[in-house]
Amino acid sequence: MRTFVPEENLPTIGDALRKFMDRLPPRKEEVEVGLMRAVGKVASRPVKSPVDNPPFARSLVDGFALMSSSTPGKLRIVGKISIGEWKDLVVGEGEAVEVDTGSLLPQGADSVVKVEHVTREEDRIVVNRVVRFGSNVAWPGSDVPKGTELLSQGQVISPEDVGALASVGISKVRVYAKPKVYVIATGDELVEPGSELPPGKIYESNIQFLRTRLEEQGYEVVGAELLPDEKDKIEETLLEATNKADVIITTGGTSAGEKDYVHQVLREKGELIIHGVNFKPGKPTILAVLNGKPVFGLSGNVVATVMIFDSIVMSYLKAMDGTSEAMRTPTRGKIQATTILPLVADRHRTTSLPVYVLKRGDDFYVIPIPFESYMIGTFSLSDGYVTLPPNTKVKEGERVEVTIKALDRRQVIIGEDDARWRDVPGRKILLGTVPACQALKYGVGDVLLVSTLLCDNVEGEDVERWILVNGKGPKIGYEEWVGLSSLVRNPSVRLKSPSTASIFVGRAEVVAPEGFIHGRRLTKERLKLVIRDEKMKFLKGIFSEGQT
């Protein structure tokens, strides 16, 4: 005897999925995986760098490491350090050590002169120019300071992320597991592709689609069965599937035919939550629970299978593995965007410049990132890059093509770095006041922290902090975007942020906000905190605590 799926009052796909999720909420499982298995999975916990990267001062060029105070002059070569090598060499006044690109900077050296800028005379070199403190040196943490968040919770992991994590010694991460899936196709009329096709039969294609689609998305298919229309066999296989898989998908046997046994078995052995949806093709869709596992019964029509899989099954799977709630997702393609700051290419080479990408309405905006080619951490945290021909200059407000690699939906914090940001959730673009002021101009960013040293016409909450100074010697300053750049004139080294200032303590005169170094109080810096997102209003309390 035939039974029929009623036509009236069928739920929409959205209503059916909501009802099913209310009955059987998708369960996330946290697991630890090696980096080589992490791509495409969602980080279940934030990951911070356990070390500075680079972990030591290293040469950016082939040349000679020396004390800047010895130049110009004739210097004695006292040894060589190759890349990957450690030697207990100390450079004194009038001495130099030959180094490769990437070599450890020997103790006592504070700069490197390029090999093409010296004249070699047996065991000595002649340097005819002044070499500034810090020249051609990658300082510890100049890419990623220790404690930098490389992965946020809810971030889909990309190959670039894997490279950044590996560069700081991380080999495993905690992620949400991809559910295991069992696929079952039913129908006496079906035969395997590649076999002879008897009269009245058709080739099975649903398993082929489902298996490849699932594996394309990173799901493990732990079983794939083609079954005849035999109720006992269908029941046996369904029950076996619940022991092996997290999710079961069937095709065929969901409608009103005499041999449509799938819905019968699920009704008798499990719980049928939905039988039929208001959608074409795919009306006889089943959403059921069997032994506590979700079962999706799809029509035997392959087009219906494709559509219902994409609209219902994938939504449930993505909720199980965290991708439906992902805040940062790898994306490949090109977009047009407005740069809020100038972009400058190398004079002689085509140049790719990493950028942050921000969105306001339907429009994209980019902020260029100070960058050197060894900075894999900086690159992984960027959203894409702009490629410019040699000697090209792009003005603020002009349109550029961006090669996009990630889209980020977190609240955006732009402006000055401050110790109070450390435990604040959100996306932090702490490149200084200039990007923050430009972001205000273009209407992007959720929270902005601006120094009145560079931008004094901003309305916001008043914030003050002490600026400290430590040591003597060459001056350590900041990129011109940072408020403190106005306090340190003609520095030998320019930092992107005060987060790496402490590595220069004992080597030079270091100026930084309280919370980054110890030292004597130099002056107070006045800042403006601009909060444009109501969800971030709690920051008023954080920045008002401890102000003196």
Side-chain angles (χ1 to χ4, degrees), residues 127-260:
V127 183
N128 291 320
R129 63 179 71 185
V130 173
V131 180
R132 289 176 64 87
F133 178 98
S135 294
N136 300 312
V137 175
W139 296 101
S142 54
D143 177 20
V144 174
K146 181 179 179 179
T148 298
E149 186 174 279
L150 294 174
L151 283 183
S152 60
Q153 183 176 1
Q155 176 174 338
V156 181
I157 299 171
S158 71
E160 292 90 343
D161 298 325
V162 167
L165 294 168
S167 74
V168 296
I170 293 171
S171 62
K172 296 179 180 180
V173 290
R174 303 288 296 183
V175 299
Y176 295 121
K178 291 278 189 179
K180 298 175 181 178
V181 185
Y182 205 110
V183 178
I184 302 168
T186 66
D188 288 338
E189 76 280 13
L190 302 175
V191 296
E192 293 279 3
S195 59
E196 185 178 345
L197 188 66
K201 304 289 187 179
I202 61 172
Y203 287 120
E204 195 288 317
S205 56
N206 280 317
I207 288 178
Q208 319 305 314
F209 161 72
L210 288 169
R211 185 161 196 162
T212 53
R213 184 82 169 93
L214 287 161
E215 290 175 348
E216 176 189 52
Q217 297 297 311
Y219 300 108
E220 181 183 358
V221 179
V222 295
E225 299 275 354
L226 174 56
L227 304 178
D229 288 320
E230 297 175 10
K231 187 175 180 180
D232 290 345
K233 182 63 176 175
I234 291 171
E235 178 181 320
E236 177 188 344
T237 305
L238 277 169
L239 292 173
E240 179 186 354
T242 63
N243 293 324
K244 296 181 177 179
D246 304 301
V247 175
I248 298 98
I249 303 172
T250 71
T251 67
T254 64
S255 191
E258 291 181 354
K259 291 187 175 182
D260 285 335

Side-chain angles (χ1 to χ4, degrees), residues 411 413 421 423-428 536 538:
Q411 276 91 7
I413 299 167
W421 289 130
D423 296 319
V424 173
R427 186 180 186 206
K428 298 163 191 171
M536 305 297 281
F538 68 91

Side-chain angles (χ1 to χ4, degrees), residues 10-31:
L10 290 178
T12 64
I13 281 179
D15 289 341
L17 184 59
R18 280 189 290 273
K19 182 176 180 181
F20 187 60
M21 285 186 167
D22 286 343
R23 168 59 185 85
L24 189 67
R27 292 193 295 270
K28 296 189 189 78
E29 179 187 359
E30 188 182 28
V31 296

